[in-house]
Amino acid sequence: MTVDMLDALLTLLQLYDSNFPSGAYAHSLGLETYIQDGRVCDAATFREYLEAYLRGPLVYTDGFAFRIVHEAAADHDFGRIASVDERLYVNNVPQETRGAACRMGTRLVVTARSLFPEDTLLREYAEGVRAGRVHGHPAVVYGLAAHAAGIDMPLGLAGYLYSSLAVQVQNGVRAIPLGQTDGQLLLFALRAQIPDSVSRVLQLQDCDFGAVSPGLEMAQLRHSQVHVRIFMS
Amino acid sequence: MSTHSWPGSDSRCPKLTGRLWIELAERRGRTEIESLVEEGEFRLSRPVYGVGPDPQLYLIHVGGGCVEGDAYELTVVCESGSRAVLTTQSATKVYKSPVRPVTQSLAIELAPGGCLDFRPDVIIPYENARYHQRTHVRMSSSSRLLYSEILTPGWSADGGWFRYSEFRSWLTVWVDDRPVLYDHQWLCPDNTFLGLGQMEGYTHYGTLLVMGYELSHPTHNVLAESVQGLGIQGCVGLSPLPGPGFMVRVFGLSTDEVEQVFHVVRGRIWREWFGATPQLLRKY
């Protein structure tokens, strides 16, 4: 193993560590509605949720956006990156999850920028978020950061999908609640589906972007009316 | 940013099964059809005046339903100050189309002060049907739009639901040349389709879009309560959009349930916009 490969591995571990400050622990993205309704109540039902989350929004929206951003960064095409940011924003119908993505993206870009101070695209995106020219979204920041770190797109994408699942597993373990071992077993099972999800993202065409998972979106829409809430979305 | 950079907006089809172009304009306080182009299987009824925000216009499909490779194009332009209710004469039935999907493109252009209530009947895809619908709305922040869409699965020969192959709908809304909505429904019934995250046991799926309306928090709550009060078995979600406007999604077990929810929301909006109560359109 070369020094470069080790460096890429360590960068991946740092970016996708659950301690990386994204604020994702505060957002259930509809999971809390399912828990309150009793439809997610144990490891088996939680696994159904996680699989739907991976097959749906993580592939068609977040994962696909990550791929486009990484490719656009390779072409140094900030216009395309800003266009993805806008599409992500207007594709997100539930106000809470739209706001959640902006908040997480805004927070993440500050950290990513300090890790890669020389990267001009991250700088432009961070300045754009601050000035209100772009909205801010985690998929864009992670795509830019992975590119800045020299991480190949499919590898970075796999890491991004994994970390998105990992944080939801932690959210579920806290809120359902489940044991930590159950959480890790779920993550282990879901991890096995990530390579397939990566190849699906690689096959998507422009017109496939942002396909909605109706049930997940309904849970996100209804979250603002859920009585007892520990998550912001 | 050009609209052509948006997925789903490239809808040009060389040979159309039906094409309709309607331009509405306000003349001496009354909305009239300024220009009309009818081609192929699409026709427009004569405008009906005298009820609610008139005129009411009925889109007529002279064929019996949509078959493989059919392509339809509908353009509605509301000039400044004009308003209309546009509906269909009957449900859009989509029959088997395994190779080439049935496509429908709808362009809605609303000038400042223009207002359209587009409330088509349900879309029913039958066994092995593929349906692609592209809707593009261009409006100003002073124009108003009500837009609804209801999807209901057609019965198959063996009595099972959800035998259609694919339903896709892209809906984009631009207000004052800025995108405010890019909605993409892509339903492909498979073994996970009824499960968690997808249709969750429901059969009917509706979307109601209200643009040009600032949804206040109290109104949001009032609407949520009124809808709950209907006591339907379905499920309703509602959210403000960065428009101004808002979207309502409904899961139901019948067309009637979805329409009841839309009727409550439409009623509220009509009272505020027109001081009128929406009537249930009788067609059959």
Side-chain angles (χ1 to χ4, degrees), chain A residues 34 39-40 45 48-50 52 55-56 60 82-83 86-87 89-96 98 133 135 204 206-218 221-222 224-225, chain B residues 1 5-8 134 168 170 178-187 192 195-200 202 205 220-221 224 228 235-242 247-251:
Chain A
Y34 284 112
R39 282 182 293 169
V40 169
T45 47
E48 273 182 67
Y49 167 85
L50 292 167
R55 266 200 314 270
Y60 290 102
S83 167
E86 182 127 68
R87 234 197 263 175
Y89 185 73
V90 300
N91 181 236
N92 212 337
V93 167
Q95 190 177 35
E96 281 190 353
R98 192 166 62 236
R133 289 190 297 271
H135 302 282
L204 293 180
D206 208 37
C207 65
D208 300 332
F209 184 88
V212 173
S213 295
L216 292 182
E217 191 202 59
M218 183 62 83
L221 287 167
R222 290 179 52 240
S224 62
Q225 306 285 323
Chain B
M1 195 194 322
S5 68
W6 286 70
R134 293 175 173 86
R168 290 186 87 165
W170 294 266
R178 295 218 31 103
V180 299
L181 177 67
Y182 167 68
D183 186 32
H184 176 199
Q185 302 294 331
W186 188 0
L187 307 181
T192 62
L196 194 140
Q198 292 290 314
M199 291 299 286
E200 307 192 341
Y202 294 101
Y205 185 44
H220 187 159
N221 289 336
Q228 263 181 2
C235 201
V236 183
L238 193 155
S239 176
L241 296 172
M247 188 180 260
V248 184
R249 300 266 207 217
V250 187
F251 274 153

Side-chain angles (χ1 to χ4, degrees), chain A residues 16-27:
Chain A
Y16 300 131
D17 189 320
S18 56
N19 283 322
F20 200 75
S22 68
Y25 62 88
H27 300 283

